Amino acid sequence: MITHICRELFCYSSEDILSAQMEATEAPPALEILIRDQEGFSIWTGPPFDNGQPNAKMGKVPCTSAVFSEDASRLMVIKPDCIISIFDSKSYEEIKSIQIPNLVAASLSPRGTYLQTFQKPSSPQEKNVNLWKVETGTSVYNLSQKNMTKTTWYVQVTSAYFKPSILFSYDEAVACRLATNEIQFFDSGDFSKGILSRLKIPGVAAIQLSKKPGSHVAAFVPESKGVPASVQIFACGGDGSGQPLARRSFFRCSTVQFHWNYGSTGLLAVAQSDVDKTNQSYYGESKLNYLTTDGAHEGLVPLRITSTGKEGPIHDVQWSYSGSEFAVVYGFMPAKATVFDKKCNPVLDLGSGPYNTVRWNPKGRFLCLAGFGNLPGDMAFWDCAEKQQLGTTKAEWSVTSEWSPNGCYFMTATTAPRRQVDNGYPTFCFVFSYDNASSKKFPNNLADKTLDLFLTGRNIGTEPVLGVRIKIFYHNGSLYYKKMFDKLFQADWKPESTERFGDIAELVKSVGSLRIEETKPGGQGSKPSSNAAKVNPANPLQKAAAYRPPHAKQAASVQAELFGGMAKQEISKNALKNKKKREKQREKKAAEASAANDS
């Protein structure tokens, strides 16, 4: 019975209560950052940094990957020659080392109890997925898996992300695995018992265990032979009948992204299709569905139509750490952002802008909207409790972004190999005029951007980029620290329980008064709330400028630098000529209309 596996999910042991009491009385832990570059990984202490610069807690260790367990008790490091080393995250002493030939991927369980590895099989019969007990270094379970796909593995090894074959709940009370047409459950304390129970779901293609507690599992069944796709929620401690607690069916869906809330009461499912039959988007279409474990809600999230008059794609969605609210970024650019409560009622309109990312503060009060990837890197910081915007800034070419565990800092990083362009020192090239009579020397990145501007209508900025960077901001967008790298592979906060830190209001006061730096002009980001700033009578609040696409923001300055202002003068003459033509046409139409009325 599945009940046997999860009977301890809804009660707390004496060890858990004692641990919570100790966390409440202990001093807050220091923040730490894992940095991995070409030479290996190291650990930074802070922020705050002594003398404005981080201190390395340990020397660099050569590796190809380094990942903390979810509770930060262990650190897994993959070294050259397929050696996996497990470190204690407090002392950073190596506690176990295992060499695994033909290693492809590896993952730690949430509490660091188990190490899961995937090896390239040498024969079809080889059991190439192994589960190791970290303390003893012995294999406790193994199975055969032909291919490693994103639906079966989810861990960063080099540049790919995969989900492990055997899934654990956060407290490791539940362990399960997706198999053909079923979900297999294990005894997480004793894998020698093998498969304890099976949950039959014909056609199941993806599953996801709920967060704290791991009491439910979500399953996705793709559409087949005219039968619609579906997302279903099952109880891990059910009666074994296999009946879902909630179900949502829909057509035009090829993949699904699951987002469980904290508390395991609600599930957001982003249903994505590779093809948009309405021809509104080249990248397909997506819908946001919301299901609750009590079956009270099974339907679409009521997203408002954007300024373009079209719904558009779902860019990002994230639950608040309280589990009672979630934020969505959706629609064609400029995208719209809205905060909903757990009943799908909109509670806060965050405006619109060039955004595709939302990051919620671990304390649940602050929120960051950002536009990364092919967007220029605009960021807006909001106080959701006061419903006001705190500040705006930019972090161009960022790949990763996340709040610190105490909720006071926000870090962005430009990492390789995903971002290999515009993250090195600029070279130079010659740009010739059309008549080949003269030439000028420009940084190579400026020439590329100018060519990109004229050929594709896209401009990603004119400031030269001097290397890969890490930026750390305060909660309101004020820049705290910045560092450049020749090449950076990883920058992650060390996970910590948010309960180990004090109230966010007291933490914010401790950083003192701040001055917003690198703020962007008004009208390029979210629409400020009426409470965001007080209007000075001497400087009345001006109306926000209209949204301008990225390629039009700096086109004039690029042309002036390349052509010495000639293009601006020619464009002005042409514009004046066209203006006169339009005025004559209007006068002619007005005269014809007047003559028709007289007759």
Side-chain angles (χ1 to χ4, degrees), residues 491-509:
D492 293 326
W493 296 101
K494 177 185 176 181
E496 292 287 355
S497 174
T498 56
E499 288 76 12
R500 301 187 64 184
F501 300 93
D503 182 74
I504 187 63
E506 298 297 329
L507 293 172
V508 168
K509 288 181 182 179

Side-chain angles (χ1 to χ4, degrees), residues 397 414 417-424 448 460 465:
W397 307 287
T414 307
R418 183 175 171 185
R419 175 65 73 178
Q420 294 275 35
V421 180
D422 281 327
N423 64 358
D448 291 342
I460 56 176
V465 184

Side-chain angles (χ1 to χ4, degrees), residues 98 100 114-117 119 127-134 136-143 191-192:
I98 305 174
I100 302 174
Y114 298 101
L115 169 67
Q116 193 171 169
T117 61
Q119 298 167 261
K127 294 185 176 181
N128 56 329
V129 175
N130 284 275
L131 192 67
W132 309 80
K133 195 72 174 290
V134 171
T136 61
T138 58
S139 177
V140 296
Y141 190 78
N142 52 54
L143 56 95
F191 278 87
S192 63

Side-chain angles (χ1 to χ4, degrees), residues 65 67 70 76 78 103-108 116-118 145 147-167 207-208:
S65 178
V67 181
E70 289 186 34
M76 179 190 69
I78 301 180
L103 178 67
V104 178
S107 174
L108 274 177
Q116 193 171 169
T117 61
F118 177 90
Q145 183 176 312
N147 300 316
M148 184 179 68
T149 63
K150 289 186 178 181
T151 58
T152 54
W153 282 79
Y154 192 89
V155 60
Q156 183 182 14
V157 180
T158 53
S159 60
Y161 291 82
F162 303 94
K163 184 164 58 177
S165 180
I166 300 176
L167 301 179
I207 62 172
Q208 182 65 58

Side-chain angles (χ1 to χ4, degrees), residues 31 80 197 205 217 255 338 350 388 424 438 481 502 517 547 573 578:
L31 297 178
S197 60
V217 60
T255 59
T338 307
L350 301 177
Q388 68 176 6
S438 61
Y481 177 77
E517 299 180 6
Y547 172 76
K573 289 181 179 180
N578 292 332

Side-chain angles (χ1 to χ4, degrees), residues 347-366:
V347 295
L348 178 59
D349 185 357
L350 301 177
S352 59
Y355 303 127
N356 60 5
T357 303
V358 57
R359 294 288 183 268
W360 213 303
N361 184 283
K363 292 293 184 178
R365 176 172 177 176
F366 303 120

Side-chain angles (χ1 to χ4, degrees), residues 370-421:
F372 299 139
N374 60 349
L375 295 179
D378 295 80
M379 296 195 301
F381 292 83
W382 284 79
D383 186 335
C384 295
E386 298 294 332
K387 297 186 178 181
Q388 68 176 6
Q389 189 181 103
L390 300 176
T392 58
T393 184
K394 267 194 175 184
E396 302 90 342
W397 307 287
S398 296
V399 175
T400 63
S401 60
E402 195 53 72
W403 287 93
S404 62
N406 67 353
C408 292
Y409 302 93
F410 189 80
M411 179 173 65
T412 64
T414 307
T415 56
R418 183 175 171 185
R419 175 65 73 178
Q420 294 275 35
V421 180

Side-chain angles (χ1 to χ4, degrees), residues 575-595:
L576 182 61
K577 185 178 179 180
N578 292 332
K579 182 179 179 182
K580 290 181 178 180
K581 285 183 179 181
R582 289 192 296 269
E583 290 177 352
K584 289 181 179 180
Q585 290 177 357
R586 282 195 295 266
E587 292 175 358
K588 183 178 179 180
K589 290 182 179 180
E592 292 176 353
S594 178

